[in-house]
DNA sequence: GTTAGCACTTGGGCATGTTGAGTGCTAAGT
DNA sequence: ACTTAGCACTCAACATGCCCAAGTGCTAAC
C-alpha cells in the first residue's frame, strides 16, 4: 500500500473519531472522505496500521480508534495548523485591552484559552529571570514577626511573613531595610542567592542573625515570585467533554490541584521556541493523566501556557489557539 | 403515631441513606436500628413523613430517600454534633505549627478540611475590617505606569498596576507617597473611602489628578484585599464521591470557579457566631448547586470557612470538622 | 495493488420472563 | 387509638434469548 495513503487513512480516522467520539469503520471512512479507493482497500490499510500500533479496535467487530502512538504520528507528521476564525482572533485581540496588571492579564488569558479550546487552560507565572529588584520593604507585624515584601520592576510582588526568633526593634529593621535596599536594588532576582550573603556580611554583628533570616525570606520570595505558581480555568470543561465518556475525571482533578505536579509537567515539556509541544496520554509522566493530553508552549522568557484535555481532542485547532494566545501574551508582557 | 418516633425514623433514614447511598425501606430500617416496633408501623410513619415532604420514593417499589426538607429537619432538630476522633484533633492541632504566613495557613487549612471531610473545602480570605494601613508604596514601572502597593498590619498585601494617563515624575511620586503615607497610615482599611478624598484635596493642584488616580487604586485595593478572594482544595473529591452516582459535576465546578458566585454564596449564609450554617440543595441560591450542600461558618472577624458536597453527606461529622477547623483558625489568626 | 464477495464475530437493542424489595391496605389484636 | 400480621400489587433490576447491523478478515478474481 502507498505510504501517503496510509497516512491519509490515519488522518481520516483521527479526525472522524475526534469529531464523532465513536470507533470509525472502513465503510464510513470511505464515504465521508473521498479517498479514491474502496472500503476493502481501507481495511487492508487499517490492518497494517493496527500492526504498527497506531490504531486499535475496542472489540472484534467495532471500528478503530487511534492509540497514543497514532495521535503522536498525527500531531508530528500529518496535521496542519488550522487558522483561527475571525471571532477567535477578535477575542484574543481584546486581551490587549484593559489594565496591564500581570495578575489580571493571566487570569483573562486562562479564561479565554479555556473557552477557545473547551479544555482546562493553565498558565505559569512569567519567568522574570531578567526582572530586577525594585523595592524591598520590611514591616513589623508583631514583636517577633516581620513581613518581608519584595517588589520587582515587572510589577510582581512577593510577600512572606517570617519569624525572627527574638524581639525586633524598629530601628534595627529600618537600618537593615536601607542596607538591603541600597545593596540589592536593581539586581536581577535570579542573582539574589549570590548577592545576599555579602549584604548580610556587611551588617553589624549584633544584627547579623536577623539579617540572615531576612535574607532567607527574600531569597525564597525571589524563587517563588519567579515561576512557582500557576493559574488555571475551565475545569468544568472536563466534566462537559466527558458527559457520555468515562474518562476518569478524579485523577485529573488531583493532578490539577497539585501545583507541583503541573509545574513539573510543564517544565518537563521541551520549550521549542517556535512551535507548541504536545504530550499525549501515557507519554505523560503522571499516571493520573494517562488518558489526557497536554498542549503547551512557552511565552515571554520561558514560562509556559497550555491546555489539558482528553487524548481525543482536536489537536490542530487546539494547538493553533495555544500558539496564538502565547504569542499575544508574549507581546503584551513584553517578553 | 408518636412524634419522637417519627423523628427517630427520619433520623434513621437519613443515616442509613448517607451511609449506603441507596433508598432505604421499612424492613431494613427496623433490622438495623432497634426501634421497638415492626416494619408495618414504620411503613405508616413513612407514609406520614412522605406526606409532609420530608422523604420521597424514587419509584413505586423502592425505599425512601430524604428530601432537602428532610435533611433540613435532620440538621436543625435531630442530629447531634459528633465528637472528632483523636487523629482528627491531632491533624488540626498540627495546623498551629509552621509559619504564621496567612497565605500558608489558609492553604493548609483547606487541604486539611478537604481531607477531613472528603469534600471540597473553601476558605475566604480573612476580613480585615479592623485591619490598619501599615504602609503604602508607589513604584514606577514605566513612564505612565505606577504599581500601587498597600500593606496592612495583618500582613496582607495588595498590589495593582495603574495607568496614570500621562508621564509621571519620580519626584511627584515620592511626594505623593509621603503625603498619602502620612495621612492614612494607621487608618482602618474600611475607612479609606472616606479618608482618601481629603488627602487628595490636600495635594498641590498640579498633582491633583495623579493623586486622584492613585487614591482610586488604593481604594480598590482596600476592597479586594479585604475579603474578595477565596481559596479551595479537594475538587477531586467531587469526582470520587460520585463515582457511581450521577451528581452532575459540571455545574458545580463552574460555580467553584466563579469566585464571585462562591463569595456571594458564603456571605449570604448567616454568620451565626457560634454554630455552623448549612445550606441544602435547592435552598441554595445558585442553580448549579441544586444537588449540593454547603456547610460553613465564620472565623476570625467574619470571613467564612466551609465545605461543599453532595446533599447526601454526613452532616454531623462534617459540621463538627468545619466548626473545629474554624475555631483553630480563629485562634491562630488572632481573630 | 485493488476490489468484490462472503463467512464470521460481536455488541447493542428489544421483547419477554422472573425475582425480590418494598409498598399500601385491610382486618385482627392489644 | 396504636400496632401488627398478612397479602395483593407494583416495578426496577436482572436474566435470557433473539435478531440485526456494523465491521472485520480472507480469498479469489481483476
Amino acid at each position: 500500500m502507498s505510504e501517503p495513503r496510509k497516512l491519509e487513512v490515519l488522518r481520516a480516522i483521527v479526525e472522524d473519531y475526534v469529531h464523532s467520539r465513536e470507533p470509525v469503520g472502513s465503510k464510513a471512512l470511505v464515504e465521508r472522505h473521498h479517498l479514491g479507493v474502496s472500503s476493502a482497500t481501507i481495511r487492508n490499510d487499517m490492518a497494517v496500521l493496527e500492526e504498527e500500533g497506531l490504531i486499535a479496535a475496542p472489540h472484534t467487530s467495532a471500528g478503530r480508534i487511534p492509540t497514543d502512538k497514532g495521535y503522536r504520528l498525527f500531531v508530528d507528521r500529518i496535521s496542519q495548523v488550522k487558522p483561527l476564525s475571525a471571532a477567535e482572533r477578535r477575542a484574543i485581540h481584546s486581551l490587549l485591552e484593559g489594565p496591564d496588571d500581570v495578575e489580571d492579564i493571566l487570569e483573562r488569558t486562562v479564561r479565554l484559552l479555556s473557552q477557545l479550546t473547551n479544555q482546562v487552560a493553565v498558565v505559569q507565572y512569567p519567568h522574570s529571570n531578567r526582572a530586577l529588584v525594585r523595592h524591598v520593604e520590611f514591616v513589623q507585624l508583631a514583636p517577633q514577626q516581620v513581613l518581608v515584601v519584595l517588589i520587582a520592576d515587572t510589577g510582581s510582588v512577593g510577600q512572606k511573613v517570617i519569624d525572627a526568633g527574638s524581639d525586633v526593634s524598629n530601628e534595627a529593621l529600618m537600618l537593615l531595610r536601607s542596607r538591603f535596599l541600597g545593596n540589592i536594588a536593581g539586581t536581577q532576582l535570579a542573582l539574589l542567592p549570590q548577592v545576599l550573603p555579602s549584604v548580610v556580611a556587611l551588617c553589624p554583628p549584633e544584627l547579623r542573625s536577623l539579617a540572615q533570616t531576612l535574607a532567607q525570606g527574600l531569597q525564597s520570595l525571589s524563587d517563588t515570585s519567579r515561576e512557582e505558581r500557576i493559574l488555571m480555568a475551565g475545569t468544568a470543561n472536563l466534566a462537559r467533554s466527558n458527559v457520555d465518556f468515562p474518562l476518569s475525571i478524579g485523577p485529573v482533578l488531583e493532578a490539577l490541584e497539585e501545583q507541583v505536579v503541573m509545574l513539573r509537567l510543564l517544565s518537563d515539556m521541551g520549550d521549542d521556541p517556535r512551535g507548541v509541544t504536545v504530550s499525549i496520554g501515557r507519554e505523560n509522566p503522571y499516571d493520573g493523566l494517562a488518558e489526557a493530553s497536554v498542549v503547551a508552549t512557552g511565552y515571554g522568557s520561558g514560562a509556559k501556557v497550555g491546555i489539558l484535555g482528553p487524548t481525543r481532542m482536536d489537536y490542530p485547532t487546539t494547538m493553533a489557539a495555544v500558539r496564538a494566545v502565547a504569542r499575544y501574551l508574549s507581546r503584551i508582557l513584553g517578553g
Side-chain angles (χ1 to χ4, degrees), chain A:
Chain A
M1 92 253 47
S2 70
E3 188 72 10
R5 197 190 60 219
K6 204 180 72 180
L7 293 184
E8 191 60 24
V9 171
L10 176 56
R11 168 214 183 93
I13 292 176
V14 170
E15 285 176 357
D16 273 21
Y17 179 63
V18 163
H19 159 265
S20 75
R21 300 180 172 191
E22 270 165 21
V24 28
S26 53
K27 197 176 170 193
L29 212 56
V30 74
E31 276 170 10
R32 296 173 50 101
H33 305 66
H34 30 51
L35 320 165
V37 295
S38 84
S39 64
T41 310
I42 300 297
R43 277 202 287 285
N44 292 332
D45 293 356
M46 279 161 82
V48 178
L49 288 172
E50 185 159 18
E51 252 175 40
E52 295 175 5
L54 297 170
I55 58 178
H59 54 256
T60 316
S61 82
R64 310 304 221 290
I65 64 178
T67 61
D68 289 356
K69 197 174 162 194
Y71 284 123
R72 164 58 55 203
L73 189 62
F74 174 80
V75 167
D76 286 349
R77 302 201 28 209
I78 306 178
S79 70
Q80 338 188 3
V81 184
K82 266 188 201 161
L84 294 179
S85 77
E88 288 167 330
R89 297 207 160 278
R90 236 178 300 127
I92 296 179
H93 263 291
S94 76
L95 252 194
L96 284 167
E97 296 157 21
D100 285 357
D101 191 287
V102 179
E103 189 95 15
D104 275 4
I105 290 175
L106 294 184
E107 214 157 285
R108 270 178 292 149
T109 301
V110 280
R111 269 177 201 251
L112 171 66
L113 193 52
S114 73
Q115 280 170 10
L116 238 40
T117 59
N118 271 309
Q119 312 287 4
V120 183
V122 180
V123 65
Q124 190 176 5
Y125 271 63
H127 282 202
S128 30
N129 287 330
R130 292 185 225 146
L132 309 179
V133 174
R134 188 65 171 235
H135 197 75
V136 171
E137 193 65 43
F138 300 143
V139 181
Q140 190 151 21
L141 299 180
Q144 302 199 5
Q145 269 181 22
V146 179
L147 174 70
V148 180
V149 180
L150 178 65
I151 304 179
D153 66 344
T154 54
S156 89
V157 177
Q159 50 172 306
K160 190 181 175 71
V161 178
I162 65 159
D163 206 324
S166 60
D167 284 13
V168 177
S169 81
N170 206 16
E171 296 74 41
L173 212 54
M174 294 303 259
L175 175 66
L176 288 178
R177 172 176 167 278
S178 64
R179 199 62 73 89
F180 273 100
L181 196 49
N183 280 285
I184 67 173
T187 312
Q188 287 187 25
L189 288 193
L191 297 181
L192 279 186
Q194 292 148 56
V195 177
L196 283 172
S198 65
V199 180
V200 173
L202 286 176
C203 294
E206 68 275 17
L207 297 180
R208 201 64 58 79
S209 118
L210 175 58
Q212 178 59 31
T213 315
L214 294 173
Q216 272 174 11
L218 284 173
Q219 186 168 332
S220 76
L221 285 178
S222 79
D223 287 346
T224 55
S225 89
R226 203 162 18 150
E227 62 184 274
E228 300 302 324
R229 286 178 60 202
I230 57 176
L231 213 56
M232 75 183 83
T235 48
N237 290 328
L238 280 180
R240 205 174 307 139
S241 77
N242 296 306
V243 65
D244 46 281
F245 214 87
L247 174 140
S248 35
I249 190 177
V252 179
L253 284 174
E254 273 172 29
L256 286 172
E257 231 175 55
E258 284 303 324
Q259 300 222 344
V260 190
V261 170
M262 292 307 294
L263 282 167
R264 182 75 200 289
L265 189 63
L266 287 175
S267 32
D268 279 3
M269 298 179 68
D271 58 342
D272 187 342
R274 199 121 317 258
V276 301
T277 315
V278 182
S279 175
I280 300 169
R282 302 209 159 273
E283 291 176 7
N284 232 301
Y286 184 72
D287 276 355
L289 301 180
E291 302 170 34
S293 287
V294 181
V295 177
T297 188
Y299 75 92
S301 40
K304 301 281 173 65
V305 228
I307 63 91
L308 182 153
T311 42
R312 172 187 34 65
M313 86 168 60
D314 181 350
Y315 291 96
T317 305
T318 306
M319 290 166 76
V322 169
R323 197 176 61 182
V325 167
R327 282 185 183 162
Y328 276 90
L329 206 48
S330 293
R331 192 185 305 172
I332 297 173
L333 297 180

